[in-house]
Amino acid sequence: MHSNTTRRTFVKGLAAGGLLGGLGLWRTPVWAITSPGEPQVLTGTDFDLSIGETPVNITGNPRTAMAINGGIPGPLLRWREGDTVTLRVRNKLKVDTSIHWHGILLPANMDGVPGLSFHGIEPNGTYVYQFKVKQNGTYWYHSHSGFQEQVGVYGPLVIDAKEPEPFEYDREYVVMLTDWTDEDPASMMKTLKKQSDYYNTHKRTVSDFIHDVADKGWSATVADRKMWAEMKMNPTDIADVSGATYTYLMNGHAPNSNWTGTFKPGEKLRLRFINGSAMSYFDVRIPGLKMTVVAADGQYVKPVSVDEFRIAVAETFDVIVEPTEAAYTLFAQSMDRTGFARGTLATKPGLSAPIPALDPRPLVTMDDMGMGGMDHSSMGDMAGMDHSSMAGMQSHPETEKDNPLVDMQAMSTSPKLDDPGMGLRENGRKVLTYSDLKSTFEDPDGREPSRTIELHLTGHMEKFSWSFDGVKFSDAEPLKLKYGERVRIVLVNDTMMTHPIHLHGMWSDLEDENGQFLVRKHTIDMPPGSKRSYRVTADALGRWAYHCHLLYHMEMGMFREVRVEE
């Protein structure tokens, strides 16, 4: 399986590398930010952005993408903390569009979510975003209209700090990871509704069955298969959309067009990783090179040295590396191991280093889903069971009971903050976990939350329906917060999928297992069977989006409005 996937990705990469240049769409991106005015970098306080259609050829097949200022990704925007920025966004498409500044604190009408505090940008229209920059760090921006994010409307964003930073480096690069498909996203959505595992090319085979019988015995293997069949689920369903249709990109480059960042021997590099993909989690490493994580979601963390980290959709991580060899591979394999994005750090262009084989395909276990200790005879209709009376069991809202949009409920949950995640456990490498992330500052609010809001992440795999508490967005009431209050949000993942949950306009202050402030983020990753809590200060009036950042999950109902009122 490894050789086939690698070969397929290789062919895709050759096509991309050969044809993008031929179309004249790409100049070589220069992502090292050492001075203003380098290609693809816009700096200052005044910006003009234009969203339009662009011909691309990433896989050998000509397609039409949507792009910002003609590039995928769009230009790197460089702001300064404390400045007021003005961004004129012009729509050259035939449909409405928008730009959301992900993780940025701003007035609600500048947040860029159509239908909340903003109508969207009509064809031939222009919207002027203007706000004061109140933070620093690594962020990104993207469309919040339909499936435009999937077809190219996204770009990186760096905000320079007003005060000296708590670490030093000689050179920096943005490393933006994304996923590209030649398919029409609306058609993909229909495909997933008809057959949710359509893109799962890693299903278990007869040889897997024989191997499991040899390892666990006949009866245990048959019982396991029967249990999954009764749930109408598959333990290989790690990602809804896979390398079967996706080409994974690094700074807009397919694997074999080999994006390269150069450095001088002895330099210390800052790499700003951004996951701007629609649906893909990546496991990132640089073989032969330790990474020191110094920021998460734009906020400083106490330095932690790792070999590898998992980056959820919409998260950002800043790392410091100190290369000593002539070339290193930046390797970002998809969580389901169906492909990878790849680039190179090198002392001069044209060098490369070996590309590692993809890791083995992970399997979701009953323990992963909060079903530990269950056997097939006790499964029954999980979504209809009353767990609230069972000692030690996770309780569930009434809206989940007998709900045709809910196909499972976690019965035993935990924060899982020190768990590297499926496919990363005991792999011989030091893998970053949420428990490793500790903000360099104390809880910025300091107050105990006055109330707790518990929300369950729910779904039905076969119907490809997603929701909070079994209620999809079109049927849900807004979550109402009082201006200035401090609330605790508890999320419980009742699904077998991993969800990155993003609250607009306000920070999410993640707590540890004991309810103590751990790390400030804008996107909270929620693995299956996890229960995580964080505090939010409702310091931004208006109507805000709150959703899963997997694009197709958000579109299918895992979205709520949060309303902050006086």
Side-chain angles (χ1 to χ4, degrees):
M1 182 59 76
H2 289 169
S3 60
N4 286 346
T5 305
T6 305
R7 186 167 95 37
R8 183 175 162 281
T9 309
F10 178 79
V11 172
K12 278 184 170 184
L14 284 180
L19 291 168
L20 275 172
L23 286 168
L25 300 173
W26 293 93
R27 31 190 184 169
T28 303
V30 181
W31 290 83
I33 304 143
T34 50
S35 63
E38 291 182 315
Q40 299 288 326
V41 181
L42 300 179
T43 62
T45 59
D46 209 58
F47 302 86
D48 286 287
L49 301 177
S50 177
I51 303 173
E53 292 190 341
T54 302
V56 295
N57 195 324
I58 290 174
T59 65
N61 301 306
R63 289 290 184 267
T64 299
M66 294 180 184
I68 303 168
N69 290 16
I72 300 176
L76 168 55
L77 304 182
R78 191 101 194 186
W79 302 345
R80 285 175 304 200
E81 184 180 10
D83 281 356
T84 294
V85 293
T86 303
L87 305 109
R88 289 172 294 276
V89 180
R90 186 179 171 200
N91 182 9
K92 292 184 178 178
L93 300 170
K94 295 170 185 169
V95 295
D96 285 9
T97 191
S98 58
I99 292 287
H100 163 60
W101 315 98
H102 186 102
I104 304 301
L105 306 176
L106 34 61
N109 64 336
M110 296 291 135
D111 193 47
V113 180
L116 291 184
S117 301
F118 161 79
H119 293 299
I121 311 171
E122 294 180 348
N124 296 315
T126 298
Y127 191 81
V128 180
Y129 294 89
Q130 188 174 68
F131 47 87
K132 185 170 182 177
V133 180
K134 300 176 180 177
Q135 62 211 94
N136 64 69
T138 304
Y139 301 91
W140 64 298
Y141 61 101
H142 60 85
S143 171
H144 227 288
S145 301
F147 296 106
Q148 292 174 14
E149 187 186 330
Q150 174 75 89
V151 294
V153 188
Y154 53 77
L157 171 58
V158 170
I159 306 174
D160 291 316
K162 190 190 298 182
E163 302 293 330
E165 301 197 85
F167 43 81
E168 295 181 346
Y169 55 93
D170 303 299
R171 189 187 296 250
E172 68 179 65
Y173 287 100
V174 163
V175 183
M176 191 167 197
L177 304 169
T178 56
D179 45 28
W180 169 267
T181 176
D182 278 350
E183 295 184 66
D184 171 61
S187 298
M188 286 173 62
M189 187 76 259
K190 289 176 184 172
T191 298
L192 289 165
K193 288 294 285 182
K194 287 177 192 166
Q195 185 184 340
S196 63
D197 63 352
Y198 180 84
Y199 297 102
N200 180 5
T201 55
H202 267 188
K203 295 186 182 80
R204 293 192 292 190
T205 62
V206 173
S207 62
D208 289 324
F209 182 83
I210 293 167
H211 176 271
D212 287 355
V213 168
D215 187 40
K216 301 170 188 168
W218 175 267
S219 58
T221 301
V222 170
D224 176 72
R225 296 302 196 275
K226 185 170 186 283
M227 183 158 56
W228 284 101
E230 285 174 354
M231 293 191 297
K232 296 181 180 175
M233 296 177 185
N234 194 307
T236 61
D237 262 343
I238 304 292
D240 294 308
V241 189
S242 72
T245 187
Y246 275 153
T247 301
Y248 301 109
L249 307 181
M250 183 174 289
N251 291 339
H253 289 246
N256 274 78
S257 63
N258 190 21
W259 175 84
T260 301
T262 58
F263 63 90
K264 293 176 182 174
E267 282 188 327
K268 191 181 285 190
L269 309 183
R270 178 185 192 167
L271 305 177
R272 298 175 181 266
F273 285 93
I274 302 168
N275 187 350
S277 60
M279 292 291 285
S280 306
Y281 279 60
F282 293 100
D283 294 330
V284 177
R285 57 191 157 108
I286 309 173
L289 202 54
K290 284 275 188 186
M291 299 180 285
T292 301
V293 180
V294 293
D297 289 358
Q299 299 293 288
Y300 302 133
V301 296
K302 293 177 181 175
V304 54
S305 178
V306 300
D307 299 311
E308 185 169 21
F309 60 85
R310 172 163 290 172
I311 185 166
V313 174
E315 285 187 316
T316 73
F317 287 112
D318 292 33
V319 307
I320 304 288
V321 296
E322 299 185 53
T324 56
E325 304 294 326
Y328 296 86
T329 295
L330 293 171
F331 186 67
Q333 58 182 333
S334 64
M335 183 168 65
D336 65 351
R337 311 297 183 241
T338 59
F340 60 87
R342 163 256 182 165
T344 300
L345 293 177
T347 51
K348 61 181 180 181
L351 296 182
S352 62
I355 302 172
L358 289 165
D359 281 346
R361 169 198 67 187
L363 291 176
V364 185
T365 67
M366 289 295 149
D367 279 339
D368 286 325
M369 298 193 301
M371 297 288 173
M374 295 192 68
D375 59 54
H376 70 283
S377 62
S378 65
M379 293 300 291
D381 176 14
M382 292 182 297
M385 293 169 66
D386 178 12
H387 309 310
S388 58
S389 60
M390 302 181 192
M393 291 293 182
Q394 173 65 51
S395 62
H396 296 273
E398 277 300 308
T399 47
E400 284 190 43
K401 195 171 183 181
D402 299 320
N403 188 330
L405 299 182
V406 178
D407 64 358
M408 69 165 283
Q409 295 172 323
M411 300 185 69
S412 177
T413 57
S414 64
K416 300 189 177 185
L417 296 171
D418 58 357
D419 179 13
M422 293 175 287
L424 293 177
R425 301 170 189 132
E426 299 174 1
N427 66 4
R429 304 187 287 268
K430 165 59 180 171
V431 183
L432 183 75
T433 66
Y434 268 13
S435 64
D436 294 321
L437 296 173
K438 295 178 176 63
S439 289
T440 56
F441 44 86
E442 298 299 315
D443 179 351
D445 187 301
R447 293 175 295 165
E448 264 300 303
S450 58
R451 62 189 177 112
T452 296
I453 299 169
E454 182 168 298
L455 289 169
H456 289 236
L457 314 181
T458 46
H460 195 292
M461 292 289 289
E462 200 175 23
K463 296 175 181 176
F464 203 73
S465 176
W466 304 98
S467 53
F468 286 105
D469 289 352
V471 183
K472 59 187 179 183
F473 173 58
S474 55
D475 298 327
E477 291 294 316
L479 285 171
K480 293 188 177 179
L481 305 182
K482 187 171 176 55
Y483 181 68
E485 76 170 321
R486 183 76 158 161
V487 298
R488 174 176 283 114
I489 295 178
V490 177
L491 296 181
V492 178
N493 189 352
D494 279 335
T495 78
M496 67 178 290
M497 305 302 288
T498 303
H499 304 279
I501 304 299
H502 172 46
L503 173 61
H504 289 220
M506 290 156 273
W507 287 114
S508 299
D509 293 331
L510 185 67
E511 298 177 326
D512 65 15
E513 293 88 341
N514 302 312
Q516 301 300 309
F517 172 63
L518 187 62
V519 63
R520 170 161 274 194
K521 298 186 90 274
H522 55 54
T523 304
I524 304 288
D525 184 35
M526 292 295 299
S530 64
K531 180 177 185 174
R532 292 177 171 174
S533 66
Y534 54 99
R535 306 171 199 171
V536 172
T537 301
D539 54 4
L541 289 167
R543 302 172 65 191
W544 302 98
Y546 184 42
H547 59 92
C548 175
H549 220 288
L550 298 180
L551 183 59
Y552 299 89
H553 289 192
M554 181 181 79
E555 288 294 317
M556 286 297 101
M558 196 177 278
F559 185 107
R560 282 283 172 99
E561 176 188 338
V562 170
R563 200 171 286 179
V564 180
E565 300 171 324
E566 290 280 11

